[in-house]
Amino acid sequence: MKKVLNNGYVRLVDTMGSDLSVVNSARVSFNKATDILRPEDEKLISYLARNDHTSPFRHATLQFEIYAPLMVARQWWKYLIGSSHQDPFTAWNESSRRYVTEEIEFYLPTSDAWRSKPENSKQGSGPCLDEKIGGEALNRLLEQIDDGMINYNWAIENNIATEQARLFIPSAYGLMVRWYWTASLQGVAHFLVQRTDSHAQSEIREYANAVKELASERFPVSIEALLQNL
């Protein structure tokens, strides 16, 4: 498990396959297979990635559990459904406050982590602001959360259905949410190419780097080859 931001994380739940799965999938047409990864197999993986022969990378999958601010989750999901690469093995299951009153947590940037507007762009951010402004921003956010939670708890105590009481939960974009994400090795690599880029939002970039570190532990050769060539 990799901790991310102040209270989030990425956990690799399960995997199917290995770098060897990519090799054996590629060589099945020649009725060849190997039990150990050899130097020539690593060269084959690089060749496949370099020449856009990507189907063998879809014979391996990774399943993650992610706990992140809602703004990260929605950007993540928007990328998956809007990507030119549609991974047929992608699955997404998210916890729902319609059914359970899971502990409510929020992403709270520290007073020195509030970023300025970028000078030459309509999106993204610039350098961090002075801590005085950051401290005031944090206090205002905390006040907003406190007010909303008073109303949410009132609704629960007065027997309002959970699926409606959640309307009172404040600071929607900072609300921490939990989901399972399963994707092929190729799908994970495509996500990493986009979300580890310096132009990606800082928060999702931290999550992408955690995904990259965990994926590289199980698929070191394939992840490196894909990220160098996609």
Side-chain angles (χ1 to χ4, degrees), residues 7-190:
N7 53 352
Y9 63 81
V10 175
R11 182 171 72 91
L12 183 59
V13 178
D14 202 359
T15 60
M16 184 185 78
S18 64
D19 287 326
L20 197 59
S21 304
V22 176
V23 172
N24 288 335
S25 297
R27 288 194 173 130
V28 68
S29 57
F30 296 98
N31 195 24
K32 292 183 178 180
T34 180
D35 295 326
I36 58 172
L37 194 70
R38 304 161 299 178
E40 55 263 42
D41 299 323
E42 296 184 15
K43 291 181 180 179
L44 174 59
I45 290 173
S46 295
Y47 173 85
L48 294 170
R50 187 168 61 251
N51 290 279
D52 201 30
H53 298 313
T54 55
S55 61
F57 296 102
R58 296 195 293 274
H59 287 279
T61 59
L62 301 90
Q63 181 187 60
F64 296 92
E65 180 186 0
I66 300 139
Y67 189 51
L70 185 62
M71 64 179 181
V72 169
R74 291 301 166 260
Q75 190 177 50
W76 201 314
W77 176 246
K78 182 175 68 174
Y79 166 76
L80 295 180
I81 63 172
S83 173
S84 59
H85 166 72
Q86 291 291 331
D87 183 359
F89 297 100
T90 292
W92 182 294
N93 291 87
E94 188 172 321
S95 63
S96 172
R97 295 184 187 279
R98 181 183 181 191
Y99 308 111
V100 295
T101 53
E102 184 180 19
E103 181 181 359
I104 297 174
E105 292 188 297
F106 300 91
Y107 166 51
L108 299 171
T110 57
S111 59
D112 61 351
W114 292 83
R115 303 184 294 276
S116 61
K117 295 179 181 178
E119 292 185 2
N120 302 310
S121 176
K122 293 183 179 180
Q123 64 178 6
S125 54
C128 288
L129 294 163
D130 182 271
E131 283 197 51
K132 181 178 180 181
I133 295 296
E136 182 174 348
L138 177 58
N139 288 335
R140 286 173 179 263
L141 180 58
L142 287 169
E143 289 175 2
Q144 180 175 307
I145 289 172
D146 287 343
D147 289 343
M149 288 305 299
I150 288 172
N151 293 329
Y152 173 76
N153 290 327
W154 171 86
I156 294 296
E157 291 166 2
N158 283 275
N159 205 35
I160 291 177
T162 304
E163 63 185 25
Q164 289 183 308
R166 60 184 172 168
L167 291 169
F168 290 106
I169 297 176
S171 185
Y173 279 101
L175 177 67
M176 298 296 291
V177 295
R178 190 186 326 272
W179 72 95
Y180 268 45
W181 172 48
T182 298
S184 72
L185 184 56
Q186 183 190 3
V188 171
H190 271 274

